[in-house]
Amino acid sequence: MHAHTVTATRIILALGLAGSLFVQAVLVPLLYLDLEGAPAPVRLQVVTIIALGIVAIQVVMVCTWRLLTLVGRDEVFSPLSFRYVDVISAAVATGALLLFWLGAVAAPGDEVAPGMVLLIGGAGGLALGAALVVRVMRALLRQPVEMRAELAEVI
């Protein structure tokens, strides 16, 4: 991977992490205050889902950063990569479950339109699909890692 690509990706990840920290520190508490009229259990669940969703996104960004570090050291095709890919897959799957939970919280009553609940569920389905794509990418990573290990034994 070209050094400029790695640098550009790191800049984007750093900006994303900084932005997500701002959202956690400032906007999530404001969301809690903005939901003042909602029943307490709904209010707490929505804020919890949003906060956990942000953490899941941060986990993906940190693991991607670590994978970029491995790319820079020409070690991406090593068993160490699997740990980060597995964590990314779990974080994306967790995000999908959080979206399904948000849809379940929003579904009862007339406050949220049924179309919005359907959109939230659809986003959860897409996130689940993304987690499966990451699992496929992990399977694709396995072959070069095994080949590299075999070559190391021969050399």
Side-chain angles (χ1 to χ4, degrees):
M1 183 178 281
H2 199 273
H4 294 301
T5 305
V6 171
T7 302
T9 305
R10 285 185 183 214
I11 290 169
I12 291 168
L13 289 171
L15 291 171
L17 280 167
S20 68
L21 289 171
F22 172 78
V23 169
Q24 277 179 316
V26 177
L27 297 182
V28 170
L30 289 175
L31 173 64
Y32 183 80
L33 295 174
D34 192 44
L35 293 172
E36 190 174 328
V42 170
R43 183 182 188 189
L44 183 60
Q45 287 183 73
V46 169
V47 171
T48 301
I49 291 166
I50 299 299
L52 291 175
I54 293 168
V55 169
I57 292 167
Q58 290 170 333
V59 166
V60 170
M61 288 190 284
V62 168
C63 287
T64 302
W65 188 287
R66 295 297 301 148
L67 286 170
L68 284 171
T69 301
L70 293 176
V71 167
R73 288 192 237 150
D74 197 30
E75 295 177 5
V76 74
F77 294 116
S78 70
L80 184 59
S81 297
F82 290 118
R83 177 174 35 167
Y84 299 118
V85 174
D86 288 342
V87 172
I88 289 171
S89 178
V92 175
T94 299
L97 295 176
L98 290 169
L99 283 165
F100 292 140
W101 180 15
L102 181 61
V105 169
D110 294 332
E111 293 82 25
V112 179
M116 270 313 279
V117 174
L118 184 61
L119 284 172
I120 293 168
L126 288 173
L128 197 56
L132 292 173
V133 168
V134 173
R135 297 303 299 173
V136 168
M137 301 285 255
R138 183 191 191 282
L140 293 173
L141 179 64
R142 178 173 297 287
Q143 186 177 15
V145 168
E146 289 173 357
M147 287 177 64
R148 189 170 185 148
E150 288 175 15
L151 285 174
E153 289 176 10
V154 172
I155 297 174

